[in-house]
Amino acid sequence: MLVLLPPSEGKASSGRGAPVKLESLSLPGLTGARQAVLDELVELCAADEDKAREVLGLSEGLRGEVAKNTELRTAGARPAGEIYTGVLYDALDLASLDTAAKRRAARSLLVFSGLWGAVRVTDRIPSYRCSMGVKLPGLGALGAHWRTPMATALPEAAGDGLVLDLRSSAYASAWKPKGEVAGRTATVRVLHAQLVDGVEKRSVVSHFNKATKGKIVRSLLTAGAAPKSPAELVEALRDLGYVVEAEAPGRAGRPWALDVVVTEIH
């Protein structure tokens, strides 16, 4: 099973160890595209702080993120699973997993990134600021930049197993499964259900969406679940106590759509 995750806007500080080595990151087919983004991002941030802040969509209060990007080649690197923070990663809580679950996480989790394309949680990277929605002056929109190398790298990473796609729309733009891979892909939407005047109303709420996705991944890793198809994933999640409504694709070459319904998050 390959689990596709979005990154987090907020990130932990870089480590004190060796800097990132692009050639050591997973999915080596993305190395050239990574180098291109890294080079332009560092140059942009070093040359004009105000322009860089505008391109990156950063507020005045986040001006320090621009300076951080100028040091990406020399900053200490940490495992990506320690760099990414926020609601989803708090709920996933990789650090507290047992040894077997951590091994499963290392094999199955893939975090998408505007800068790195996609990385395993064990890949060592520095803290950075560059979302997939950024349009760099030279390379253009990053979602489009990543599509060509991803078209080869991601099907290879998926192999012949299930793909659980938990990405947000901005990161989904970098790679969309096609053909046979799409048929064994499941996307997940989290719906918050509550009673309003005696009638159940459902809505998509950011906190519930992110926290539940983190909990889902943690539950699967902890249980050692190994579903091989979207249909088996639905059964596995129900066995783990989730309320899941599934919609099989109307035709071949389309992913399954899963709705996970929650009333509260503990």
Side-chain angles (χ1 to χ4, degrees):
M1 177 174 62
L2 184 67
V3 182
L4 310 182
L5 296 173
S8 58
E9 287 296 324
K11 298 173 183 69
S13 61
S14 296
R16 296 184 178 180
V20 63
K21 296 180 180 179
L22 296 185
E23 66 276 10
S24 71
L25 299 179
S26 302
L27 281 64
L30 302 181
T31 301
R34 287 168 174 151
Q35 186 71 65
V37 179
L38 179 62
D39 288 347
E40 183 170 356
L41 182 61
V42 171
E43 182 179 349
L44 170 69
C45 292
D48 189 330
E49 187 175 271
D50 289 328
K51 181 178 179 181
R53 191 163 59 83
E54 180 182 352
V55 169
L56 297 175
L58 301 177
S59 66
E60 176 65 31
L62 293 173
R63 183 177 288 271
E65 298 292 291
V66 176
K68 184 168 68 176
N69 279 349
T70 67
E71 302 174 350
L72 286 171
R73 295 194 185 96
T74 57
R78 298 169 62 182
E82 297 177 12
I83 289 288
Y84 294 114
T85 59
V87 175
L88 188 154
Y89 291 91
D90 285 347
L92 173 53
D93 196 7
L94 286 167
S96 70
L97 292 173
D98 63 33
T99 301
K102 285 180 178 176
R103 285 198 296 265
R104 297 181 196 109
R107 292 194 303 267
S108 63
L109 305 189
L110 199 62
V111 184
F112 273 60
S113 162
L115 173 54
W116 315 112
V119 292
R120 303 279 186 185
V121 293
T122 50
D123 285 332
R124 298 181 64 83
I125 59 173
S127 183
Y128 67 96
R129 193 66 175 240
C130 184
S131 70
M132 191 65 79
V134 164
K135 185 176 182 179
L136 292 174
L139 292 176
L142 291 179
H145 171 75
W146 287 111
R147 282 178 205 143
T148 296
M150 289 277 191
T152 299
L154 264 293
E156 290 178 354
D160 59 1
L162 168 71
V163 178
L164 173 55
D165 190 352
L166 302 177
R167 298 172 295 166
S168 55
S169 58
Y171 291 90
S173 69
W175 179 69
K176 295 182 179 179
K178 298 179 180 179
E180 187 269 336
V181 178
R184 47 187 167 85
T185 296
T187 62
V188 171
R189 179 176 64 166
V190 178
L191 297 178
H192 177 212
Q194 55 185 331
L195 289 177
V196 178
D197 297 328
V199 179
E200 183 182 82
K201 302 289 186 180
R202 295 182 177 183
S203 59
V204 178
V205 180
S206 178
H207 173 80
F208 286 87
N209 179 58
K210 294 175 182 178
T212 302
K213 286 179 176 179
K215 288 184 65 178
I216 284 172
V217 176
R218 182 179 179 85
S219 296
L220 292 168
L221 293 173
T222 302
K228 295 180 173 58
S229 69
E232 289 186 15
L233 173 64
V234 171
E235 293 307 311
L237 291 176
R238 287 173 177 166
D239 288 344
L240 290 167
Y242 292 94
V243 177
V244 183
E245 298 174 355
E247 181 180 344
R251 55 193 175 97
R254 295 290 182 88
W256 281 55
L258 275 56
D259 282 344
V260 176
V261 183
V262 299
T263 56
E264 59 183 335
I265 294 293
H266 297 287

